[in-house]
Structures are given as C-alpha cells and as structure tokens.
Amino acid sequence: LTQFRRNLRTLCPTQLSSAVSSELSPLDILSIQDTNRATDILFSTLTSCLERLCPLTSKPTRATPPSPWISDEVRRHRSHLRAAERQWRKSKCPLQLNKYQALLKSFSAAVTTAKTRYFQDKVNNCNDSRKLFSTFNRLLNPPPPPPSTSLSSEDFATFFTEKVADISKQFSPPNPRPRPAVTSETRNLSSFTPLFESDVSTLLQSSHPTTCSLDPIPSHLLQSIQPTILSALTHVLNSSLTTGTFPTAFKQAVITPLLKKPTLNPSLLDSYRPVSNLPFLSKILERAVLAQLSSFLHKHDLLDPFQSGFRKGHSTETSLLAMMDDLRAARAARRSSVLVLLDLSAAFDTVNHEILLTTLSDLGVTGTALDWFTSYLYDRSFKVSWGGETSVLSRVTTGVPQGSVLGPLLFSIYTRSLGHIIQSHGFSYHSYADDTQLYLSFPPEDATIATKISACLSDISAWMSERHLQLNLSKTEILIFPGNNSPQQNLSIQIGSLLLTPTASAKSLGVWIDNKLSLNHHVAAISRSCRFTLYNIRKIRPFLSQQATQLLVQAMVISKLDYCNSLLAGASAVTIKPLQMVQNMAAR
C-alpha cells in the first residue's frame, strides 16, 4: 500500500504566511462575497499555498507507526549505520566491521539521548497535572491500529445511517406549533454580537490544534500564521454571525469507527461507535456562539440546575458527589433508596431539528440568531474513514453533531424539561449530558415503591418518544440501597412486557457503585489501574530525571486517587485501605 504525506518539517511558516498574504490581499476580495463564497475563497487559498510550498509525496505504508522520539539527528545516524553495515557485509573487511560497530554504539547513544529529550520535554511542557497524566497515558498506551476485518467504509456509513433511521421512524412527526412572539420586555437573543480581531485571536490561540482531514492546512500552521489571516477570518466569522448562515464548508464531518470495548467482536458493525472529526475553523465559530448563548442562558437562569454536563464549575464528579451524598444521608436516616440509571440509544444522533429549534425559540432565541442555528443544524453530511478508504458522503437529517462544541449544550437544552417529569413522581435526579441518574428515598416498609418506579419510567419513556429519543429499558439499571439495619429488598419492576430486576453493582459516569454504597468494586479497579500505571512509570524511568518522575507520580495521584477519595468521603477504612497502599507505593 502507498500513503501520501507532506513533509511539514521542511515548511517554513514565514514562507506560508507570505504566500497566503499575497493571495488574500486586498481584503475587499472577501468583503463583497457572501458567507459561503468568502469561506470557500479562504479555504482554497490556504490549500493552494500549502500545496505549492509543501506538495504531497508518496511512500510505502509502514506496518507500524514511527517512534515519536525519532529526530532528524537520529535519522542521520541510522542512515550512516545502514551504509556502514552494507559496506561491511559486502567486503567482510575488519576495518569496515570496526567502523560499523563504532557507528552502532554511537547510534544507540543517540537513540537514548533522543528518548530522554523527548520524555523530558513532554513532562516539562505540561504545567497542569491532569494534562500531564493524560499525556503520559498517550505516550505509553498509544491507540491500537484498526483490527483487520473485511468491513469497508461504505459498510460503516450504511450501518450508522440505517441505525439512526430505524430509531427515528418509530416516532410520529412533531406537531407543528407557532413559535412564540418575543417582545422587547421579555428575554430575547435575536442576534449575535460581531467579533473583534482580538476576540478571534484569543479563540485561535486558546483552542487545542486538533487537525481534521477536512482542514485546508494543519491547525498548528493556521495558528502560526494567525496575523496574516486574522482579518480575513474575522470577516468570515462575522459574516456568518450577522447573516445567520453557517458556512457549508463547515457542515461536513469525518467519522472514524472505534471499538466500544476491546473484548467485542471486531467483525461486527454493532461493536463500533462513530467518532466524528470536524474542521478546526468550524469549532472556532462554534466557540464564539457558545460564549454568547451560554451568557444568555445563565443571565436568565434557563439551564437545568441538575445538569452537570459541560457547565463551568460542574463535572461528573459534582454530579456523583451530589447523588452519593443524598443516598448516604438517606441510609443514615434508616431510609432505603432506589437508583435508576437511564440508558439512551444514539441520543445525540436522533435529536429532532424542528423540536430543538422550537425549544430554542421558547427560550427567547429569535431572529438572526435562530436563523443561524437553523443553518447550523440542517444540510449536514458525513463520510467514514476506515482502512485507508473513505466512503461517499451521507446526508444527516437528525441529531446534533457529535464532537462539536455546541452539540452538548444543545442537547442539554433539548432535554431540559425531562427534570419536570422526574420530579413530578417525587424522584430526585442528576444528569451529565445524556446520562441521567434518578433516585428516590423511602421507608423500608413502603410496599408501593415498585409501582412508583414503574409509573415514573413509563412517563419518562413517553416523554422520550415525544422528543424522538429512545429509552433503552433493557440496558437501564436499578440498584436498591437498604437503610441502616434494614433488610435488603428485592423489587421487580414491570414496564409493559419488560421485567427489570435490581443489580448488585453498576457503573455510572465511570464509577462502580454497589448496593451497599461501599465502593469496594470501584476501589479495587482503581488500585489495579494505579499499580499498572506505576509499573509503566518504572519502564521509562531511565529516560526521566528524578523531578520528572515525581511529577508523573504526582499527576497520577491527582488524576486517579484524589478524585476517588472525594467520592469515598464517609466510606469505611477497610474500603480506603487499598488506595492508601497504592499511595505509599507511589511515595516510594
């Protein structure tokens, strides 16, 4: 197989900046164009300049990816070593053998130096402990290559499209209703505020430079030539915001299928989940809209107070802590509790656009702002990249884009009224995006609890159907927590023809919860993970300084143990003991 690549190491950002500047000047060329045309001109200019200065070259596909620490210096050493080896094998001369052995020793030293410099730089450039530990995980556990199967990109494209279509066709079309007229006295977001060049510059520099195959140039190059394209990019973004048009060039996604679990059969389509990649500049535009939409929602208190997903100051940890605190308080008061973990099928992909736009309108999003969201949602497409092949474009008729900046917030807006349904049955709840935990405390002798759970889940299922979401009751899990000195209760919940029975433990937002609130299962899993991590740190210890090693261990403790300890508040000393043992190992 042959792969095509650009040798970006030979490209000078200054040359690229000069080439782009000469083609984009004067800015009047863009100012007279509509949003889509201006975006296309910007994209084509960036692409043509990159192609001229750093064209694609072909080379045979490597069986394994190159080691990340291989530098130009190591490559030169390797070339000299291979040349000396060929000369020695051809001549069998002792002098050539001595030369080859000397170069081999020099090459080994160069590799060790390159590894040391690579790991040191990676560690020293991460100021945040969580980011450091994430970087460390990527270094030692790179993503495995795609499994070899007979599946093609077209197979995946068809499967993902038909899966969403099969779910959507179960629902009736939404009833059209007029959108409310918003007067000047009520809350209203009718337009977006245009951006200054300084705003766009901040957005560019603060964004992680993820690159998608749809990007005209790699994102890190885009950031390096920012002063050159800043005026043109600001014009494109403001044109989109003021006209209510989301550029067509931003509406395409590339999907990479990933195995849901390593233990699943890689030859089955249902074993994979779609991971979307979007153009870098589309995320810049979304971030600008996200800031203004979030400000509007917070100002008027329009967000669900029990939705922790993608909100400042909220996380999976805050959601879990709130739930665990309520369950422990009920247990201490000798009240039993039930926890229900809802499971949705392809939740983000089945969001109905008309219902979402009506919901936005109900909240006060009107005028050009609502036109922008309409343009953002409709006429989107995707293609699947798999095994070096790319499928044809497939149209998207429902859903909010996964992998997008706005998608999670739009989903939270879409489901904000679910809380009213849950609370009407006396249940409490906490959500993180599409993961919802609802729970209820009750006297141990209450014989009506099964009926209450069944009624609540039935109403939730009906609400989901109205919103074109599919509640997967067969994967919905129930845990029963008896109060102190109360017997364990066995409940069976009948919903239609489906019988739900409580389970002894379940995983919620990455944490294993058992029906005794002991977290023993979760602590055991964290302890195993920490020991494995400490072993991996030992493997690269020769290439790290003592300070770098201490930073890695500290990052592990903060990333894994501190988070776990915050959830373990009130747990028994027996439960926490394995984590204390790991902390002692880390200290050594």
Side-chain angles (χ1 to χ4, degrees), residues 31-75:
S31 62
I32 61 174
Q33 309 293 338
D34 61 25
T35 303
N36 282 319
R37 180 59 182 156
T39 306
D40 292 342
I41 291 175
L42 177 61
F43 268 43
S44 62
T45 299
L46 293 172
T47 302
S48 62
C49 290
L50 180 65
E51 183 64 37
R52 185 168 67 252
L53 297 174
C54 188
L56 283 172
T57 57
S58 62
K59 61 179 296 184
T61 302
R62 294 174 58 101
T64 57
S67 299
W69 56 75
I70 299 296
S71 61
D72 291 338
E73 180 183 357
V74 173
R75 290 187 177 90

Side-chain angles (χ1 to χ4, degrees), residues 174-482:
N175 295 323
R177 61 186 181 88
R179 291 171 181 166
V182 180
T183 65
S184 58
E185 288 77 21
T186 62
R187 59 177 186 264
N188 186 12
L189 178 64
S190 60
S191 62
F192 294 118
T193 304
L195 306 173
F196 295 106
E197 289 189 4
S198 58
D199 299 326
V200 178
S201 176
T202 301
L203 287 171
L204 275 174
Q205 293 303 321
S206 62
S207 299
H208 184 64
T210 54
T211 298
C212 168
S213 60
L214 301 170
D215 288 319
I217 64 174
S219 301
H220 71 275
L221 284 178
L222 192 73
Q223 290 177 329
S224 66
I225 64 169
Q226 176 206 158
T228 302
I229 64 166
L230 194 55
S231 295
L233 181 57
T234 302
H235 170 76
V236 169
L237 299 185
N238 282 337
S239 176
S240 172
L241 296 175
T242 56
T243 63
T245 304
F246 190 75
T248 304
F250 293 172
K251 293 186 180 185
Q252 193 181 126
V254 176
I255 288 181
T256 303
L258 289 183
L259 273 175
K260 297 175 183 176
K261 296 179 182 178
T263 55
L264 295 178
N265 187 349
S267 62
L268 299 179
L269 291 167
D270 199 33
S271 300
Y272 295 84
R273 60 184 176 89
V275 177
S276 298
N277 292 315
L278 299 169
F280 177 70
L281 289 181
S282 74
K283 295 181 180 180
I284 297 297
L285 177 55
E286 288 187 55
R287 283 191 173 92
V289 172
L290 177 69
Q292 299 189 38
L293 177 62
S294 297
S295 176
F296 169 75
L297 295 173
H298 284 291
K299 178 181 178 181
H300 297 286
D301 196 22
L302 298 175
L303 290 173
D304 185 345
F306 300 106
Q307 171 61 262
S308 294
F310 311 98
R311 293 177 60 190
K312 187 175 181 180
H314 294 70
S315 65
T316 56
E317 187 173 355
T318 57
S319 179
L320 286 165
L321 280 172
M323 179 206 48
M324 293 292 288
D325 184 63
D326 289 344
L327 293 176
R328 283 178 175 149
R331 183 182 178 89
R334 297 188 177 184
R335 293 173 63 86
S336 297
S337 301
V338 59
L339 171 66
V340 182
L341 305 176
L342 301 182
D343 182 86
L344 301 182
S345 299
F348 277 58
D349 295 325
T350 60
V351 169
N352 182 274
H353 293 162
E354 187 59 34
I355 296 176
L356 175 56
L357 291 172
T358 300
T359 304
L360 285 169
S361 179
D362 290 340
L363 295 179
V365 180
T366 61
T368 307
L370 188 61
D371 292 340
W372 190 94
F373 283 108
T374 304
S375 178
Y376 173 79
L377 292 170
Y378 284 97
D379 300 322
R380 301 190 73 98
S381 60
F382 73 89
K383 54 185 178 182
V384 176
S385 177
W386 175 261
E389 298 180 348
T390 303
S391 69
V392 298
L393 278 178
S394 300
R395 310 305 300 179
V396 176
T397 57
T398 61
V400 292
Q402 293 198 46
S404 64
V405 175
L406 279 169
L409 178 59
L410 292 179
F411 185 82
S412 298
I413 292 172
Y414 190 75
T415 58
R416 64 188 294 271
S417 61
L418 174 60
H420 301 305
I421 303 296
I422 297 173
Q423 290 176 327
S424 68
H425 289 271
F427 280 74
S428 301
Y429 73 97
H430 280 279
S431 299
Y432 188 89
D434 59 332
D435 290 304
T436 301
Q437 313 162 116
L438 53 131
Y439 52 95
L440 176 67
S441 298
F442 54 93
E445 64 276 7
D446 189 348
T448 65
I449 189 63
T451 303
K452 292 179 180 178
I453 298 172
S454 178
C456 183
L457 289 179
S458 295
D459 282 357
I460 290 175
S461 182
W463 180 93
M464 294 280 183
S465 295
E466 291 177 1
R467 291 272 164 164
H468 289 208
L469 300 173
Q470 186 179 58
L471 177 62
N472 193 342
L473 288 172
S474 62
K475 291 186 178 181
T476 293
E477 296 180 290
I478 298 177
L479 286 87
I480 303 294
F481 309 97

